[in-house]
Amino acid sequence: MISPSSRGQSRVLLVAKRQERKKPGNEAKRKPAEASLTEFDKLLRFILAFRGRFALAFMRGEDRKQREGVLASLGDLLKEKKIELRHIDLTYREVTDLLSGLREECRQNADIAIVVTGIEASLKGPFLASLNIQRDLISQEIKCPILFWVSTFALNLFAREAPDFYDFRYTVFHFKDAGGKEAYLPEAIFPRPYFIPSEQGRSSDERAAYL
């Protein structure tokens, strides 16, 4: 005859075994979905998450053809979501002030994202210093995601010459060249972990705390 205490021990062992069997499946479910996402997927999710509000990110890549392909595909996918990708190309001109151009692009339509390319031509002038000074104005007035496609060299200069503006970034997206190689990136400007905030808005204090 089985005693009540023996039955109780058997039940405890049975429950423990069931929990052990469930652990692998539960751990698999807990794995972040971001682990399987490409940089392009993360980029798209970033823009959708910050639709209609300010967010700053950088896209690091050295290949011009790759840049054109990424931006073309991104524009097509955003169009399906009723978001227009606006392109400010500074390749053939040196600018000192980007805020006026951002205002003009953002004023015309709320559902947009702005990508800025070709800033290398403006790096020798006061362009970065101007961005650094206007950081708060840009974050308050431009209600859409802003992305800069930059080379590793330009990213280094952003971190060094416009540290306040650069510190407002949410992330850096890395696009490897055709050979799968990535240029050396100093430890001081490694991207911070990528997060998408769940709340719909952030105050300036909340953004500062997040950064």
Side-chain angles (χ1 to χ4, degrees):
M1 185 173 180
I2 302 174
S3 65
S5 60
S6 298
R7 290 177 179 172
Q9 291 176 357
S10 299
R11 288 175 183 171
V12 171
L13 290 172
L14 182 60
V15 171
K17 288 181 179 180
R18 287 177 179 173
Q19 289 178 344
E20 288 178 0
R21 290 174 185 171
K22 291 179 180 179
K23 280 183 179 179
N26 291 337
E27 289 176 358
K29 290 179 181 178
R30 292 192 192 103
K31 288 182 179 179
E34 285 80 3
S36 60
L37 295 176
T38 65
E39 287 298 277
F40 184 86
D41 294 330
K42 293 176 184 178
L43 172 60
L44 180 60
R45 289 184 63 184
F46 170 82
I47 295 175
L48 295 177
F50 290 103
R51 183 174 187 168
R53 54 200 176 109
F54 171 80
L56 172 66
F58 292 85
M59 298 179 285
R60 182 171 69 96
E62 311 292 336
D63 191 322
R64 181 178 59 82
K65 289 185 178 180
Q66 180 193 46
R67 182 190 75 191
E68 294 173 352
V70 168
L71 296 185
S73 298
L74 183 63
D76 291 340
L77 290 174
L78 289 176
K79 190 174 182 180
E80 296 176 2
K81 304 292 185 180
K82 309 300 182 184
I83 299 176
E84 182 180 355
L85 183 65
R86 298 279 179 84
H87 185 187
I88 299 178
D89 187 5
L90 306 178
T91 302
Y92 300 107
R93 54 196 173 108
E94 182 178 346
V95 299
T96 58
D97 176 32
L98 188 61
L99 179 57
S100 57
L102 293 173
R103 281 172 175 160
E104 183 63 25
E105 294 293 345
C106 207
R107 186 184 301 123
Q108 298 176 16
N109 191 345
D111 283 337
I112 68 169
I114 299 175
V115 59
V116 183
T117 62
I119 66 167
E120 284 75 11
S122 303
L123 294 179
K124 293 181 179 180
F127 175 73
L128 293 179
S130 175
L131 283 178
N132 209 46
I133 294 172
Q134 296 175 336
R135 180 191 73 168
D136 292 331
L137 275 176
I138 292 174
S139 66
Q140 293 165 9
E141 295 187 18
I142 308 304
K143 303 301 182 182
C144 67
I146 304 172
L147 301 115
F148 286 83
W149 185 290
V150 295
S151 63
T152 301
F153 171 75
L155 192 62
N156 286 335
L157 284 183
F158 256 108
R160 190 179 69 196
E161 304 296 334
D164 295 334
F165 182 79
Y166 184 74
D167 196 47
F168 257 26
R169 76 197 184 283
Y170 276 89
T171 193
V172 179
F173 300 102
H174 299 275
F175 291 92
K176 298 179 181 180
D177 61 23
K181 298 179 180 179
E182 286 188 294
Y184 169 72
L185 192 63
E187 185 177 356
I189 61 169
F190 262 87
R192 63 196 66 198
Y194 178 76
F195 296 105
I196 289 292
S198 57
E199 64 268 27
Q200 290 299 311
R202 284 183 180 271
S203 65
S204 58
D205 292 337
E206 288 175 321
R207 182 180 290 113
Y210 171 79
L211 292 168

